[in-house]
Short mmCIF file of all heavy atoms in Angstrom, two decimals:
data_model
loop_
_atom_site.label_atom_id
_atom_site.label_comp_id
_atom_site.label_asym_id
_atom_site.label_seq_id
_atom_site.Cartn_x
_atom_site.Cartn_y
_atom_site.Cartn_z
N MET A 209 96.48 98.45 78.98
CA MET A 209 95.27 99.23 78.74
C MET A 209 95.60 100.71 78.59
O MET A 209 94.93 101.44 77.87
CB MET A 209 94.28 99.04 79.89
CG MET A 209 93.74 97.63 80.01
SD MET A 209 92.73 97.40 81.51
CE MET A 209 91.35 98.49 81.15
N ALA A 210 96.67 101.18 79.27
CA ALA A 210 96.97 102.62 79.34
C ALA A 210 97.27 103.27 77.99
O ALA A 210 96.75 104.36 77.75
CB ALA A 210 98.09 102.88 80.34
N PRO A 211 98.04 102.77 77.07
CA PRO A 211 98.99 101.67 77.21
C PRO A 211 100.33 102.16 77.77
O PRO A 211 100.57 103.36 77.80
CB PRO A 211 99.17 101.21 75.75
CG PRO A 211 98.98 102.45 74.95
CD PRO A 211 97.97 103.29 75.69
N THR A 212 101.15 101.24 78.19
CA THR A 212 102.46 101.40 78.83
C THR A 212 102.33 101.82 80.29
O THR A 212 101.25 102.14 80.77
CB THR A 212 103.41 102.35 78.07
OG1 THR A 212 102.96 103.69 78.21
CG2 THR A 212 103.50 101.99 76.61
N CYS A 213 103.47 101.86 80.98
CA CYS A 213 103.47 101.93 82.44
C CYS A 213 103.86 103.30 82.97
O CYS A 213 104.04 104.27 82.24
CB CYS A 213 104.43 100.88 82.99
SG CYS A 213 106.17 101.24 82.58
N ASN A 214 104.04 103.36 84.31
CA ASN A 214 104.39 104.62 84.98
C ASN A 214 105.76 105.13 84.57
O ASN A 214 105.97 106.33 84.41
CB ASN A 214 104.31 104.45 86.49
CG ASN A 214 105.31 103.43 87.02
OD1 ASN A 214 105.54 102.38 86.41
ND2 ASN A 214 105.92 103.71 88.15
N VAL A 215 106.73 104.24 84.39
CA VAL A 215 108.08 104.67 84.02
C VAL A 215 108.04 105.36 82.66
O VAL A 215 108.62 106.43 82.46
CB VAL A 215 109.04 103.47 84.00
CG1 VAL A 215 110.40 103.88 83.45
CG2 VAL A 215 109.20 102.89 85.40
N TRP A 216 107.35 104.76 81.72
CA TRP A 216 107.27 105.30 80.36
C TRP A 216 106.58 106.66 80.35
O TRP A 216 107.03 107.60 79.71
CB TRP A 216 106.51 104.31 79.48
CG TRP A 216 106.59 104.59 78.02
CD1 TRP A 216 105.59 105.08 77.23
CD2 TRP A 216 107.71 104.39 77.16
NE1 TRP A 216 106.02 105.19 75.92
CE2 TRP A 216 107.32 104.77 75.86
CE3 TRP A 216 109.00 103.92 77.37
CZ2 TRP A 216 108.17 104.70 74.77
CZ3 TRP A 216 109.86 103.85 76.28
CH2 TRP A 216 109.45 104.23 75.01
N HIS A 217 105.46 106.75 81.09
CA HIS A 217 104.70 108.00 81.09
C HIS A 217 105.33 109.08 81.97
O HIS A 217 105.46 110.23 81.55
CB HIS A 217 103.27 107.74 81.56
CG HIS A 217 102.38 107.18 80.49
ND1 HIS A 217 102.08 107.85 79.34
CD2 HIS A 217 101.72 105.99 80.41
CE1 HIS A 217 101.27 107.13 78.59
NE2 HIS A 217 101.03 106.00 79.22
N LEU A 218 105.73 108.73 83.19
CA LEU A 218 106.22 109.75 84.12
C LEU A 218 107.65 110.18 83.82
O LEU A 218 107.98 111.36 83.93
CB LEU A 218 106.14 109.23 85.56
CG LEU A 218 104.74 108.84 86.07
CD1 LEU A 218 104.80 108.50 87.55
CD2 LEU A 218 103.71 109.93 85.80
N LEU A 219 108.50 109.24 83.46
CA LEU A 219 109.91 109.57 83.25
C LEU A 219 110.24 109.83 81.78
O LEU A 219 111.34 110.29 81.48
CB LEU A 219 110.81 108.45 83.78
CG LEU A 219 110.55 108.01 85.23
CD1 LEU A 219 111.66 107.11 85.71
CD2 LEU A 219 110.38 109.20 86.14
N GLY A 220 109.32 109.52 80.89
CA GLY A 220 109.55 109.77 79.47
C GLY A 220 108.54 110.71 78.86
O GLY A 220 108.89 111.72 78.25
N GLY A 221 107.25 110.41 79.06
CA GLY A 221 106.20 111.20 78.45
C GLY A 221 106.01 112.57 79.06
O GLY A 221 105.88 113.57 78.36
N LEU A 222 105.96 112.65 80.39
CA LEU A 222 105.76 113.94 81.04
C LEU A 222 106.86 114.95 80.70
O LEU A 222 106.55 116.13 80.46
CB LEU A 222 105.66 113.77 82.56
CG LEU A 222 104.34 113.27 83.13
CD1 LEU A 222 104.37 113.31 84.65
CD2 LEU A 222 103.16 114.10 82.61
N PRO A 223 108.14 114.56 80.67
CA PRO A 223 109.19 115.53 80.34
C PRO A 223 109.06 116.16 78.94
O PRO A 223 109.60 117.24 78.72
CB PRO A 223 110.48 114.72 80.46
CG PRO A 223 110.16 113.69 81.48
CD PRO A 223 108.74 113.31 81.18
N ILE A 224 108.37 115.50 78.03
CA ILE A 224 108.15 116.15 76.72
C ILE A 224 106.71 116.65 76.60
O ILE A 224 106.25 117.00 75.52
CB ILE A 224 108.50 115.21 75.55
CG1 ILE A 224 107.53 114.03 75.47
CG2 ILE A 224 109.94 114.72 75.64
CD1 ILE A 224 107.66 113.24 74.18
N LEU A 225 106.01 116.66 77.74
CA LEU A 225 104.64 117.17 77.83
C LEU A 225 103.68 116.40 76.93
O LEU A 225 102.89 116.96 76.17
CB LEU A 225 104.59 118.66 77.50
CG LEU A 225 105.54 119.58 78.28
CD1 LEU A 225 105.25 121.04 77.98
CD2 LEU A 225 105.48 119.31 79.77
N SER A 226 103.75 115.07 77.04
CA SER A 226 102.83 114.21 76.31
C SER A 226 101.45 114.28 76.96
O SER A 226 101.31 114.11 78.18
CB SER A 226 103.33 112.76 76.34
OG SER A 226 102.30 111.85 76.00
N ALA A 227 100.43 114.55 76.16
CA ALA A 227 99.07 114.67 76.70
C ALA A 227 98.58 113.36 77.31
O ALA A 227 97.92 113.35 78.36
CB ALA A 227 98.11 115.12 75.59
N SER A 228 98.90 112.24 76.68
CA SER A 228 98.48 110.94 77.21
C SER A 228 99.14 110.67 78.56
O SER A 228 98.53 110.04 79.44
CB SER A 228 98.81 109.83 76.22
OG SER A 228 100.20 109.73 76.00
N SER A 229 100.36 111.15 78.75
CA SER A 229 101.06 110.95 80.02
C SER A 229 100.44 111.77 81.14
O SER A 229 100.39 111.34 82.29
CB SER A 229 102.55 111.31 79.86
OG SER A 229 103.16 110.46 78.91
N PHE A 230 99.96 112.97 80.81
CA PHE A 230 99.24 113.77 81.81
C PHE A 230 97.97 113.06 82.25
O PHE A 230 97.61 113.05 83.43
CB PHE A 230 98.91 115.16 81.25
CG PHE A 230 100.06 116.12 81.30
CD1 PHE A 230 100.70 116.51 80.14
CD2 PHE A 230 100.51 116.64 82.51
CE1 PHE A 230 101.76 117.40 80.18
CE2 PHE A 230 101.57 117.53 82.56
CZ PHE A 230 102.21 117.91 81.39
N LEU A 231 97.26 112.45 81.29
CA LEU A 231 96.05 111.70 81.64
C LEU A 231 96.39 110.49 82.50
O LEU A 231 95.67 110.18 83.47
CB LEU A 231 95.32 111.27 80.37
CG LEU A 231 94.60 112.37 79.60
CD1 LEU A 231 94.01 111.81 78.31
CD2 LEU A 231 93.50 113.00 80.44
N PHE A 232 97.46 109.79 82.16
CA PHE A 232 97.89 108.64 82.95
C PHE A 232 98.18 109.06 84.38
O PHE A 232 97.75 108.42 85.33
CB PHE A 232 99.13 108.00 82.32
CG PHE A 232 99.65 106.80 83.06
CD1 PHE A 232 99.19 105.53 82.76
CD2 PHE A 232 100.61 106.94 84.06
CE1 PHE A 232 99.67 104.41 83.44
CE2 PHE A 232 101.08 105.84 84.75
CZ PHE A 232 100.61 104.57 84.44
N ALA A 233 98.92 110.15 84.55
CA ALA A 233 99.26 110.64 85.88
C ALA A 233 98.01 111.06 86.65
O ALA A 233 97.91 110.83 87.86
CB ALA A 233 100.23 111.81 85.78
N ALA A 234 97.05 111.65 85.94
CA ALA A 234 95.80 112.07 86.58
C ALA A 234 95.03 110.87 87.12
O ALA A 234 94.34 110.97 88.15
CB ALA A 234 94.93 112.84 85.59
N GLY A 235 95.12 109.74 86.45
CA GLY A 235 94.48 108.52 86.95
C GLY A 235 95.30 107.82 88.01
O GLY A 235 94.76 107.17 88.91
N LEU A 236 96.63 107.96 87.93
CA LEU A 236 97.53 107.25 88.84
C LEU A 236 97.32 107.68 90.29
O LEU A 236 97.32 106.84 91.20
CB LEU A 236 98.97 107.50 88.41
CG LEU A 236 100.06 106.70 89.12
CD1 LEU A 236 99.94 105.22 88.76
CD2 LEU A 236 101.44 107.22 88.73
N PHE A 237 97.14 108.97 90.53
CA PHE A 237 97.02 109.46 91.91
C PHE A 237 95.80 108.91 92.64
O PHE A 237 95.94 108.35 93.73
CB PHE A 237 97.03 111.00 91.92
CG PHE A 237 98.42 111.59 91.92
CD1 PHE A 237 99.12 111.76 90.74
CD2 PHE A 237 99.03 111.95 93.11
CE1 PHE A 237 100.40 112.28 90.74
CE2 PHE A 237 100.31 112.47 93.13
CZ PHE A 237 101.01 112.64 91.95
N PRO A 238 94.59 109.04 92.09
CA PRO A 238 93.45 108.44 92.81
C PRO A 238 93.53 106.92 92.88
O PRO A 238 93.09 106.32 93.87
CB PRO A 238 92.24 108.90 91.99
CG PRO A 238 92.77 109.25 90.65
CD PRO A 238 94.14 109.78 90.89
N GLY A 239 94.11 106.30 91.86
CA GLY A 239 94.28 104.85 91.92
C GLY A 239 95.19 104.43 93.05
O GLY A 239 94.91 103.47 93.78
N ALA A 240 96.31 105.16 93.22
CA ALA A 240 97.23 104.85 94.31
C ALA A 240 96.56 105.09 95.67
O ALA A 240 96.83 104.36 96.64
CB ALA A 240 98.49 105.70 94.18
N TRP A 241 95.70 106.10 95.74
CA TRP A 241 94.98 106.36 96.99
C TRP A 241 94.06 105.19 97.34
O TRP A 241 94.04 104.71 98.48
CB TRP A 241 94.17 107.65 96.86
CG TRP A 241 93.33 107.96 98.06
CD1 TRP A 241 93.77 108.30 99.31
CD2 TRP A 241 91.89 107.94 98.13
NE1 TRP A 241 92.69 108.50 100.16
CE2 TRP A 241 91.53 108.29 99.46
CE3 TRP A 241 90.90 107.70 97.18
CZ2 TRP A 241 90.20 108.38 99.86
CZ3 TRP A 241 89.57 107.78 97.59
CH2 TRP A 241 89.24 108.12 98.91
N ILE A 242 93.32 104.71 96.34
CA ILE A 242 92.44 103.55 96.56
C ILE A 242 93.29 102.33 96.94
O ILE A 242 92.94 101.57 97.86
CB ILE A 242 91.62 103.24 95.29
CG1 ILE A 242 90.65 104.39 94.99
CG2 ILE A 242 90.87 101.92 95.45
CD1 ILE A 242 89.58 104.58 96.03
N GLY A 243 94.41 102.13 96.24
CA GLY A 243 95.28 101.02 96.57
C GLY A 243 95.80 101.10 97.99
O GLY A 243 95.91 100.08 98.69
N GLY A 244 96.12 102.32 98.44
CA GLY A 244 96.59 102.50 99.81
C GLY A 244 95.53 102.15 100.83
O GLY A 244 95.83 101.55 101.87
N LEU A 245 94.28 102.51 100.55
CA LEU A 245 93.19 102.16 101.46
C LEU A 245 93.04 100.64 101.57
O LEU A 245 92.88 100.09 102.66
CB LEU A 245 91.87 102.78 100.98
CG LEU A 245 91.74 104.31 101.08
CD1 LEU A 245 90.39 104.74 100.53
CD2 LEU A 245 91.90 104.76 102.53
N ILE A 246 93.08 99.98 100.43
CA ILE A 246 92.95 98.51 100.44
C ILE A 246 94.12 97.89 101.18
O ILE A 246 93.95 96.98 102.00
CB ILE A 246 92.90 97.97 98.99
CG1 ILE A 246 91.67 98.51 98.27
CG2 ILE A 246 92.88 96.43 98.99
CD1 ILE A 246 91.63 98.18 96.78
N LEU A 247 95.32 98.38 100.91
CA LEU A 247 96.52 97.84 101.54
C LEU A 247 96.47 97.99 103.05
O LEU A 247 96.77 97.05 103.80
CB LEU A 247 97.76 98.54 100.98
CG LEU A 247 99.11 98.02 101.47
CD1 LEU A 247 99.40 96.65 100.87
CD2 LEU A 247 100.22 99.01 101.09
N SER A 248 96.12 99.17 103.52
CA SER A 248 96.15 99.44 104.96
C SER A 248 95.03 98.74 105.71
O SER A 248 95.22 98.28 106.84
CB SER A 248 96.09 100.95 105.21
OG SER A 248 94.87 101.49 104.72
N ARG A 249 93.86 98.62 105.09
CA ARG A 249 92.71 98.07 105.81
C ARG A 249 92.50 96.58 105.64
O ARG A 249 91.94 95.92 106.51
CB ARG A 249 91.44 98.82 105.38
CG ARG A 249 91.48 100.30 105.71
CD ARG A 249 90.21 101.02 105.29
NE ARG A 249 90.29 102.45 105.60
CZ ARG A 249 89.32 103.32 105.39
NH1 ARG A 249 88.16 102.89 104.86
NH2 ARG A 249 89.46 104.60 105.69
N ALA A 250 92.93 96.05 104.50
CA ALA A 250 92.66 94.64 104.23
C ALA A 250 93.90 93.76 104.23
O ALA A 250 93.79 92.54 104.31
CB ALA A 250 91.95 94.50 102.88
N VAL A 251 95.09 94.35 104.12
CA VAL A 251 96.30 93.54 103.98
C VAL A 251 97.25 93.68 105.16
O VAL A 251 97.60 92.71 105.82
CB VAL A 251 97.05 93.90 102.67
CG1 VAL A 251 98.30 93.03 102.53
CG2 VAL A 251 96.15 93.72 101.47
N LEU A 252 97.67 94.90 105.46
CA LEU A 252 98.71 95.10 106.47
C LEU A 252 98.18 95.27 107.87
O LEU A 252 98.87 94.96 108.84
CB LEU A 252 99.55 96.34 106.10
CG LEU A 252 100.32 96.26 104.79
CD1 LEU A 252 101.05 97.57 104.53
CD2 LEU A 252 101.31 95.11 104.81
N CYS A 253 96.98 95.79 108.01
CA CYS A 253 96.45 96.10 109.33
C CYS A 253 95.72 94.90 109.91
O CYS A 253 94.74 94.42 109.36
CB CYS A 253 95.51 97.29 109.25
SG CYS A 253 94.99 97.90 110.86
N THR A 254 96.21 94.42 111.05
CA THR A 254 95.59 93.26 111.70
C THR A 254 94.52 93.68 112.70
O THR A 254 93.81 92.84 113.22
CB THR A 254 96.65 92.41 112.44
OG1 THR A 254 97.34 93.26 113.38
CG2 THR A 254 97.65 91.83 111.46
N ASN A 255 94.42 94.97 112.97
CA ASN A 255 93.40 95.49 113.87
C ASN A 255 92.54 96.50 113.11
O ASN A 255 92.88 97.68 113.05
CB ASN A 255 94.04 96.18 115.08
CG ASN A 255 94.84 95.22 115.92
OD1 ASN A 255 94.34 94.19 116.32
ND2 ASN A 255 96.09 95.57 116.18
#
């Protein structure tokens, strides 16, 4: 959907200042935060 992944955008696109890669990174941070909340509260935490 992005299209392509974090490696392509962060390690390839960002170094040449690709605009689409900046947008991908902007979405990646809040997404990872939401993923962390789900992981900690619903998966790893037994209490």
Side-chain angles (χ1 to χ4, degrees):
M209 294 173 66
T212 72
C213 67
N214 63 321
V215 174
W216 192 252
H217 280 298
L218 301 186
L219 307 191
L222 282 186
I224 67 168
L225 307 187
S226 163
S228 62
S229 298
F230 279 109
L231 287 175
F232 180 89
L236 188 67
F237 275 84
W241 176 67
I242 294 295
L245 290 179
I246 298 172
L247 184 72
S248 63
R249 298 181 181 182
V251 181
L252 297 178
C253 188
T254 56
N255 297 307

